Amino acid sequence: MRLVLAEDHALLRAGLIQLLEGNGFTILHAVDNEASLSAALLDPLAEAAVLDVRLPPSQTDEGLRAAIAVRAARPGFPVMVLSQYVEQLYARELLASGVGAVGYLLKDRVSDVAEFVDGVRRVAAGGTVLDPEVVATVMARQREEPLERLTPREREVLGLMAEGRSNAAIAGLLHVTDKAVAKHINSIFTKLDLPIGEDDHRRVRAVLAWLRV
Amino acid sequence: MSTTSTTAPPGRLLLTGYAVAQFFLSILMIVLFVLWVVGGVLVVVWVGIGILAAVVPATRWVANLHRSMAARTLGTELPPPYRPLPPGGFFVKARTVLADPMTWRDLGWLLVAPVVGITVSLIVIVLLLAIVTGFIWWFATPPLMQARAVFDRWFLCYSRTERLEQRVQVLTETRADLVDHSAAELRRLERDLHDGAQARLVALSMSLGMADAAFDSEDPEQARRLIKDARSTTAGAIGDLRSVVRGIHPPVLADRGLAGAVAALAIDMAIPVTVDARLPGRPPAPVESAVYFGVAECLANVGKHSGARNGWITLAHEDDVLRAVVGDDGRGGADPGAGTGMLGVMRRLAAFDGTLSVSSPAGGPTIVTLEVPCVLSSPKTTPSSGPA
């Protein structure tokens, strides 16, 4: 898997390169500013990107903008966005930039190496990975309409789906069987009026519905 | 701050009309003055308070009439110089009125103006009515009425020096508030860093030290456990630092400006909040920050106290005033004086000559308006320095 990496902090960039290369990824381009990032994303060999939200020159949200731009130019291009802060607004903008293949994580989640690498892999495979903090904020809200039909357990399952976990992982975390999880997920799809289709897309769309994108 | 009026100066007949009006107003003023005296004396037996509550607005009305006539005659603008009434009950308002020097100048004017007014007015009127003196009327009316206007202006409006003195007074007070506020903020930051991130980093260092020792004593299980602790302590420290940074300057405000940051606040609300932002540029950073925290405080109140089902925010910049309005359809009855939050916002805005006003009748809706005079800069584009 050939990646484009954008991170302006030299120490973190070196760490990320080491971490990703050590886990079987190839770093095609490692850049530290917006202009080189835009150039790197044009490389047809690139298969996915791992980006910091803040990049020089203006140190605001150019990483996010670049992610949205590349997904407009190359639909479905997998992008994992890392940030010092998670912002609902940014999560929504990323998710709205196409179905799936996006991740949005706090930078310090990198410290859980296995989990982080797994997240990048799932995004590259077309999945959605959201930081537990984003998920928790949405959870804390009392939402109305179709989501109100969900039972507390189903909400819990949906939250974990948003974080990007597989059925097996959800089963492990909730201490239930795989079959029970599959039953909950089917019931969520029914309640959210998601027609039967490709299973992975239904998962993403359930998450989108829940974030009201 | 008077500007030249664009309307033509009043003609002699209009000036005579003013003279007639002022003649009758003088009689009303005598009545008002008597009521002032009666009301003032009867305050001892409470009845006077009721009388004064009616006489003060009436006096202001008469004085404002004279101000506008003087403004037309002199061709300058004379804005009403009264202090704005604070939100709150009758006694809060009464105290402001009593403390306003203009109230007492009005009273002095009430005593003197009828004599001057009746004299000037009668001269002008009689000169016109007695046809023989029409010649004198033609020449004497403008200077007489201008003298009258100057007299009214002298009594009813602050001079330049007085206005500057008042401005200095206001600036001194808001500067003191701002300094207090900054000092308190710094203390809070120091405490947050000291009790939060700093303490956790010490704990982290201790865990790592013990892990180091555990390796020496060949207890890898213990070492692994300690490193795991160290990692969770690191996460806590990062979380603490994050919240400290958010308290200083929210990242989304830096990234997206006021409109984007307010939209982000609205998304985080439990109830639907619509945002209508029309800002053609960015306000100066300190104003942006003060208004952002003001809106955040209002939204927190909506979430905590209002019981509202819907909220809305508008942001606009008109006539060099940045205006943020936060409304909800909740139960109303919000009192800006009740908590420290709103007062803090008021102080912060006052440093920029900004104001916060609350309209919240029992039963709702509550509408909070934040206004700050400022100039917007053009929208931010990529700096010309280019990529490094």
Side-chain angles (χ1 to χ4, degrees):
Chain A
M1 172 76 49
R2 294 180 296 269
L3 296 182
V4 170
L5 173 71
E7 162 64 62
D8 59 314
H9 205 284
L11 267 176
L12 268 175
R13 190 170 60 247
L16 278 170
I17 293 174
Q18 198 185 357
L19 193 157
L20 288 167
E21 291 200 322
N23 281 282
F25 293 95
T26 312
I27 305 294
L28 203 57
H29 302 280
V31 298
D32 64 356
N33 67 69
E34 187 197 10
S36 356
L37 171 64
S38 306
L41 286 175
L42 292 175
D43 189 337
L45 290 177
E47 289 172 297
V50 177
L51 311 170
D52 184 5
V53 167
R54 285 197 171 185
L55 288 175
S58 80
Q59 293 285 7
T60 59
D61 57 352
E62 36 278 278
L64 184 81
R65 290 175 196 275
I68 292 167
V70 70
R71 284 167 61 77
R74 297 170 72 171
F77 185 78
V79 178
M80 168 69 91
V81 172
L82 298 178
S83 172
Q84 211 66 261
Y85 309 89
V86 292
E87 191 61 63
Q88 297 287 343
L89 187 69
Y90 293 175
R92 285 178 133 190
E93 288 176 359
L94 263 182
L95 288 165
S97 70
V99 175
V102 286
Y104 183 41
L105 287 180
L106 273 176
K107 254 183 197 175
D108 35 309
R109 306 282 178 220
V110 173
S111 68
D112 194 337
V113 178
E115 185 112 342
F116 170 67
V117 168
D118 186 43
V120 177
R121 284 215 182 93
R122 270 178 310 181
V123 167
T128 306
V129 175
L130 284 184
D131 197 273
E133 201 170 291
V134 178
V135 175
T137 338
V138 183
M139 272 298 187
R141 278 181 274 170
Q142 292 290 319
R143 308 314 295 264
E144 69 289 14
E145 1 121 50
L147 295 169
E148 212 146 67
R149 295 181 225 140
L150 302 186
T151 63
R153 192 50 164 224
E154 284 163 359
R155 281 163 175 263
E156 224 173 329
V157 172
L158 183 53
L160 290 167
M161 271 164 65
E163 285 179 26
R165 316 242 177 202
S166 64
N167 285 13
I170 296 173
L173 280 164
L174 296 181
H175 306 291
V176 293
T177 60
D178 281 15
K179 246 174 88 185
V181 172
K183 220 180 84 199
H184 283 312
I185 291 177
N186 265 323
S187 151
I188 293 170
F189 289 161
T190 317
K191 286 182 179 174
L192 295 183
D193 298 321
L194 296 170
I196 298 156
E198 202 192 326
D199 226 27
D200 266 357
H201 272 182
R202 282 210 290 173
R203 285 176 89 94
V204 174
R205 285 176 49 199
V207 172
L208 296 183
W210 175 66
L211 276 166
R212 274 211 306 214
V213 176
Chain B
M1 283 216 253
S2 57
T3 51
T4 321
S5 169
T6 47
T7 48
R12 288 177 181 78
L13 274 177
L14 184 56
L15 285 178
T16 312
Y18 285 173
V20 176
Q22 284 170 357
F23 176 77
F24 288 107
L25 284 172
S26 294
I27 298 167
L28 174 61
M29 282 150 64
I30 296 171
V31 176
L32 280 176
F33 186 78
V34 172
L35 285 174
W36 261 98
V37 174
V38 174
V41 171
L42 290 185
V43 161
V44 210
V45 288
W46 295 102
V47 192
I49 296 178
I51 297 177
L52 288 179
V55 171
V56 170
T59 307
R60 290 191 169 189
W61 179 76
V62 175
N64 278 337
L65 267 182
H66 279 83
R67 276 186 197 102
S68 58
M69 283 190 279
R72 283 292 300 277
T73 309
L74 298 173
T76 57
E77 269 181 33
L78 302 177
Y82 301 110
R83 288 187 186 168
L85 290 183
F90 176 79
F91 287 100
V92 181
K93 288 193 168 67
R95 205 169 58 199
T96 312
V97 170
L98 286 180
D100 191 342
M102 196 40 86
T103 305
W104 304 104
R105 283 171 73 149
D106 279 354
L107 183 57
W109 173 78
L110 272 189
L111 177 61
V112 187
V115 183
V116 179
I118 290 174
T119 315
V120 174
S121 297
L122 276 183
I123 294 174
V124 172
I125 296 163
V126 168
L127 282 178
L128 178 64
L129 289 185
I131 305 297
V132 210
T133 52
F135 175 74
I136 309 176
W137 171 81
W138 180 266
F139 287 103
T141 299
L144 268 175
M145 290 307 289
Q146 269 165 19
R148 170 73 218 263
V150 168
F151 165 82
D152 281 344
R153 181 174 66 179
W154 184 77
F155 252 104
L156 295 178
C157 296
Y158 292 115
S159 69
R160 201 177 135 72
T161 320
E162 283 171 307
R163 279 206 307 273
L164 287 174
E165 279 170 2
Q166 287 172 352
R167 183 83 190 122
V168 169
Q169 178 72 27
V170 169
L171 289 178
T172 312
E173 280 167 18
T174 53
R175 188 184 62 172
D177 277 348
L178 190 69
V179 170
D180 283 352
H181 175 80
S182 319
E185 277 293 282
L186 280 178
R187 272 197 305 279
R188 189 181 61 77
L189 287 177
E190 190 270 339
R191 205 173 44 237
D192 283 357
L193 287 174
H194 183 267
D195 297 345
Q198 205 174 355
R200 286 191 204 259
L201 288 175
V202 171
L204 167 69
S205 169
M206 267 163 42
S207 295
L208 288 176
M210 286 189 289
D212 201 359
F215 277 122
D216 284 343
S217 62
E218 294 187 0
D219 184 357
E221 261 321 299
Q222 170 78 349
R224 184 168 292 130
R225 206 174 46 74
L226 285 164
I227 289 176
K228 209 172 153 198
D229 285 354
R231 257 187 45 204
S232 71
T233 314
T234 315
I238 294 171
D240 285 346
L241 287 173
R242 202 171 271 142
S243 67
V244 169
V245 172
R246 254 190 226 282
I248 302 171
H249 193 69
V252 67
L253 183 60
D255 292 356
R256 293 293 175 87
L258 190 58
V262 166
L265 279 178
I267 290 178
D268 285 342
M269 290 291 290
I271 57 165
V273 176
T274 53
V275 179
D276 177 17
R278 285 175 209 165
L279 297 180
R282 285 187 75 156
V287 172
E288 195 173 65
S289 179
V291 172
Y292 171 84
F293 281 108
V295 171
E297 177 70 32
C298 295
L299 280 180
N301 288 340
V302 170
K304 268 188 273 179
H305 309 300
S306 75
R309 297 181 58 80
N310 290 288
W312 46 269
I313 303 170
T314 60
L315 288 175
H317 187 264
E318 282 160 7
D319 302 328
D320 284 337
V321 173
L322 173 66
R323 186 173 293 111
V325 182
V326 182
D328 70 66
D329 59 358
R331 64 176 78 92
D335 177 9
T340 53
M342 283 290 179
L343 289 177
V345 174
M346 277 183 193
R347 285 212 190 94
R348 213 166 157 179
L349 293 177
F352 307 100
D353 289 327
T355 53
L356 178 146
S357 53
V358 180
S359 154
S360 184
T366 299
I367 293 169
V368 185
T369 309
L370 295 83
E371 290 182 313
V372 185
C374 69
V375 180
L376 298 190
S377 62
S378 54
K380 252 211 181 111
T381 46
T382 316
S384 55
S385 57

